[in-house]
């Protein structure tokens, strides 16, 4: 630091410490500006796009705040059971306790957080981008789900309303889009006694929507390698009063999964696991009679894991080794212009067992 600056700092320290802080901020902004960066304080709207947030305009249901706590005895017991389980699915490379503490507010689990990115995914102009997403999903909603399924904004979900349409959320649009895709590809709504296995079920988003959308559903089993997810899934599906056809299976009870399912789904879950964990889950799939497998990764066009050292590995060979061949790959949002505008490039990867007719 030049001597003149040193003398100035000394004077500011003696005169008023707050002046020193102001001077330091101005200096930092000046240095950043010379490097081509603008340093400015974020307003409340900008903060929403950069961190965990939730919509508290819809209050929590009675008792939710008292139940949805990290020290809930049921969650503590469940976590201990998961910790004592010696299987690869519990060796987390992303969903560790430190990650959950930073990225999840337990009582507001449907807000913008580790389970569903909303503002952070859409960044600025979220309302306009969500509208474009709605138009794309609406164009393929052959089952009319957007008119039948409701969004109430409970548990912190950010909702958007356009004209006379009912409110929508990222939860609702993703679910309708996924159901519509599977119906178009494999006739999901016309399969008698439909059975679904949801690996990495999270808080039960897809189970809730499928059970409300498809009267042909006979069984929907939710399982997850994260104890917090199982705890939330059990709570949420009971709150939604889903039918008895929906079951939450704790990981220590994975051997109670059925022998037969029509399809296994893994939505934004394998991408957050190691190769070892993915292989373990695929072994569970391979040992059952499951014709179809849907994987939605976090990266477009590639099936990549998350390793402990931060690297990513291609797990497509593991899927093939489990006996599945890819029959379809397409963007989650099919309109090319839309994807460029909203900057969402997720991809459906649909597989079928090689021995299936």
């Amino acid at each position: 630091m030049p001597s003149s600056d040193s003398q100035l700092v000394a004077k500011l320290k003696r005169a008023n410490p707050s002046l020193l802080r102001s001077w330091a901020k101005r200096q930092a902004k000046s240095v950043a500006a010379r490097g081509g960066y603008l340093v400015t304080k974020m307003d409340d709207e900008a903060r929403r796009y950069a961190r965990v947030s939730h919509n508290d305009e819809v209050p929590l249901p009675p008792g939710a705040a008292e139940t949805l706590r990290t020290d809930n005895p049921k969650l503590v017991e469940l976590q201990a059971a998961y910790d004592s389980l010696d299987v690869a699915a519990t060796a987390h490379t992303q969903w560790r306790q430190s990650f959950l503490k930073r990225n999840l507010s337990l009582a507001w689990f449907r807000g913008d957080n580790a389970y569903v990115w909303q503002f952070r995914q859409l960044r600025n102009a979220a309302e306009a981008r969500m509208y474009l997403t709605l138009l794309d999903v609406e164009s393929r909603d052959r089952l009319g789900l957007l008119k039948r399924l409701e969004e109430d904004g409970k548990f912190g979900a950010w909702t958007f309303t356009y004209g006379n349409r009912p409110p929508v959320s990222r939860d609702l649009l993703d679910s309708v889009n996924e159901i519509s895709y599977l119906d178009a590809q494999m006739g999901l709504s016309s399969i008698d006694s439909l059975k679904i296995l949801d690996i990495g079920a999270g808080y039960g988003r897809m189970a809730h929507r499928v059970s409300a959308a498809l009267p042909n559903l006979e069984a929907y089993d939710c399982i997850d390698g994260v104890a917090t997810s199982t705890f939330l899934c059990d709570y949420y599906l009971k709150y939604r009063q889903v039918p008895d056809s929906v079951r939450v299976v704790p990981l220590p009870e994975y051997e109670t999964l059925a022998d037969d399912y029509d399809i296994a789904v893994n939505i934004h879950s394998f991408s957050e696991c190691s190769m070892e964990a993915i292989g373990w889950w695929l072994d569970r799939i391979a040992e059952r009679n499951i014709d179809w497998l849907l994987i939605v990764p976090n990266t477009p066009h590639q099936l990549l894991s998350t390793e402990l050292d931060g690297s990513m590995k291609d797990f497509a060979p593991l899927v093939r080794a489990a006996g599945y061949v890819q029959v379809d790959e397409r963007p989650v949002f099919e309109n090319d212009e839309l994807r460029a505008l909203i900057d969402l490039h997720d991809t459906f990867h649909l597989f079928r067992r090689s021995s299936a007719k």
Side-chain angles (χ1 to χ4, degrees), residues 263-307:
I263 183 171
V265 299
N266 183 274
I267 301 170
H268 298 299
S269 175
F270 281 167
S271 293
E272 298 165 352
C273 299
S274 67
M275 292 286 282
E276 185 181 9
I278 296 167
W280 187 89
W281 283 114
L282 289 170
D283 286 345
R284 307 288 76 76
I285 293 173
E287 64 193 21
R288 289 170 168 79
N289 181 28
I290 306 176
D291 279 351
W292 297 89
L293 171 62
L294 173 68
I295 299 175
V296 183
N298 291 347
T299 49
H301 310 301
Q302 289 182 290
L303 303 180
L304 300 178
S305 69
T306 296
E307 301 303 317

Side-chain angles (χ1 to χ4, degrees), residues 149-164:
L149 301 182
E150 298 178 353
E151 178 52 76
D152 57 13
K154 291 289 179 65
F155 304 103
W158 293 101
T159 61
F160 303 82
T161 304
Y162 305 99
N164 295 323

Side-chain angles (χ1 to χ4, degrees), residues 278 282 286 293 295 303 314-326 351-354:
I278 296 167
L282 289 170
L293 171 62
I295 299 175
L303 303 180
D314 180 11
F315 66 85
L318 297 181
V319 179
R320 293 192 291 270
Y324 288 85
V325 294
Q326 188 154 351
F351 300 85
R352 195 168 190 187
R353 189 186 289 273
S354 55

Side-chain angles (χ1 to χ4, degrees), residues 227-295:
T228 300
S229 297
T230 300
F231 172 74
L232 287 174
C233 190
D234 182 67
Y235 172 88
Y236 184 60
L237 295 179
K238 285 177 179 175
Y239 173 79
R240 292 299 184 186
Q241 299 181 327
V242 298
D244 293 339
S245 56
V246 180
R247 183 172 64 133
V248 179
V249 180
L251 187 62
E253 301 174 21
Y254 71 88
E255 292 181 344
T256 69
L257 292 173
D259 293 330
D260 297 271
Y261 297 94
D262 294 291
I263 183 171
V265 299
N266 183 274
I267 301 170
H268 298 299
S269 175
F270 281 167
S271 293
E272 298 165 352
C273 299
S274 67
M275 292 286 282
E276 185 181 9
I278 296 167
W280 187 89
W281 283 114
L282 289 170
D283 286 345
R284 307 288 76 76
I285 293 173
E287 64 193 21
R288 289 170 168 79
N289 181 28
I290 306 176
D291 279 351
W292 297 89
L293 171 62
L294 173 68
I295 299 175

Side-chain angles (χ1 to χ4, degrees), residues 12 25 55 79 81 112 118 177-178 200 205 213 232 258 266 298:
L12 288 173
K25 288 179 181 179
N55 176 17
Q79 185 64 61
D112 187 304
Q118 295 161 54
N177 200 32
E178 289 151 6
R205 168 184 70 82
L232 287 174
N266 183 274
N298 291 347

Side-chain angles (χ1 to χ4, degrees), residues 161-183:
T161 304
Y162 305 99
N164 295 323
R165 294 180 176 87
V168 297
S169 65
R170 177 86 193 273
D171 172 315
L172 177 63
L173 292 181
D174 282 356
S175 301
V176 170
N177 200 32
E178 289 151 6
I179 294 169
S180 298
Y181 171 76
L182 290 175
D183 192 52

Side-chain angles (χ1 to χ4, degrees), residues 18-219:
S18 64
L19 292 177
L20 175 61
R21 289 193 294 270
S22 298
W23 177 83
K25 288 179 181 179
R26 289 196 299 272
Q27 287 293 102
K29 287 183 178 182
S30 177
V31 171
R34 288 196 293 272
Y37 297 94
L38 174 64
V39 178
T40 184
K41 184 177 181 180
M42 293 190 297
D43 58 20
D44 291 340
E45 184 71 9
R47 289 192 189 97
R48 182 183 296 171
Y49 298 107
R51 67 185 186 187
V52 171
S53 64
H54 63 266
N55 176 17
D56 58 8
E57 291 183 3
V58 179
L60 291 171
E66 293 75 24
T67 301
L68 299 174
R69 296 169 52 95
T70 56
D71 61 355
N72 183 304
K74 183 176 181 179
L75 175 55
V76 172
E77 181 181 356
L78 193 63
Q79 185 64 61
Y82 273 56
D83 290 342
S84 65
L85 193 63
D86 187 20
V87 299
T90 61
H92 303 302
T93 52
Q94 177 163 319
W95 283 76
R96 290 171 285 178
Q97 289 302 310
S98 58
F99 172 79
L100 287 170
K101 288 178 182 178
R102 293 194 308 271
N103 291 282
L104 178 63
S105 177
L106 202 61
W108 302 98
F109 60 89
R110 294 185 70 229
D112 187 304
N113 56 48
Y115 289 109
V116 183
W117 277 21
Q118 295 161 54
F119 284 104
R120 281 182 293 176
Q121 188 78 19
L122 296 173
R123 295 192 293 280
N124 58 344
E127 187 170 10
R129 290 170 183 241
M130 189 68 76
Y131 179 62
L132 295 173
T133 303
L134 168 61
L135 295 180
D136 185 74
V137 174
E138 205 172 44
S139 70
R140 293 185 301 282
D141 182 21
R142 301 185 305 170
L143 299 176
L145 300 181
L146 287 171
K147 295 180 180 179
R148 293 197 286 118
L149 301 182
E150 298 178 353
E151 178 52 76
D152 57 13
K154 291 289 179 65
F155 304 103
W158 293 101
T159 61
F160 303 82
T161 304
Y162 305 99
N164 295 323
R165 294 180 176 87
V168 297
S169 65
R170 177 86 193 273
D171 172 315
L172 177 63
L173 292 181
D174 282 356
S175 301
V176 170
N177 200 32
E178 289 151 6
I179 294 169
S180 298
Y181 171 76
L182 290 175
D183 192 52
Q185 293 296 315
M186 55 172 287
L188 198 70
S189 65
S190 60
I191 296 175
D192 293 335
S193 303
L194 175 66
K195 298 178 182 179
I196 299 175
L197 173 60
D198 192 340
I199 294 174
Y203 66 77
R205 168 184 70 82
M206 190 65 164
H208 167 226
R209 300 303 188 182
V210 169
S211 65
L214 303 180
N216 60 317
L217 182 68
E218 179 178 307

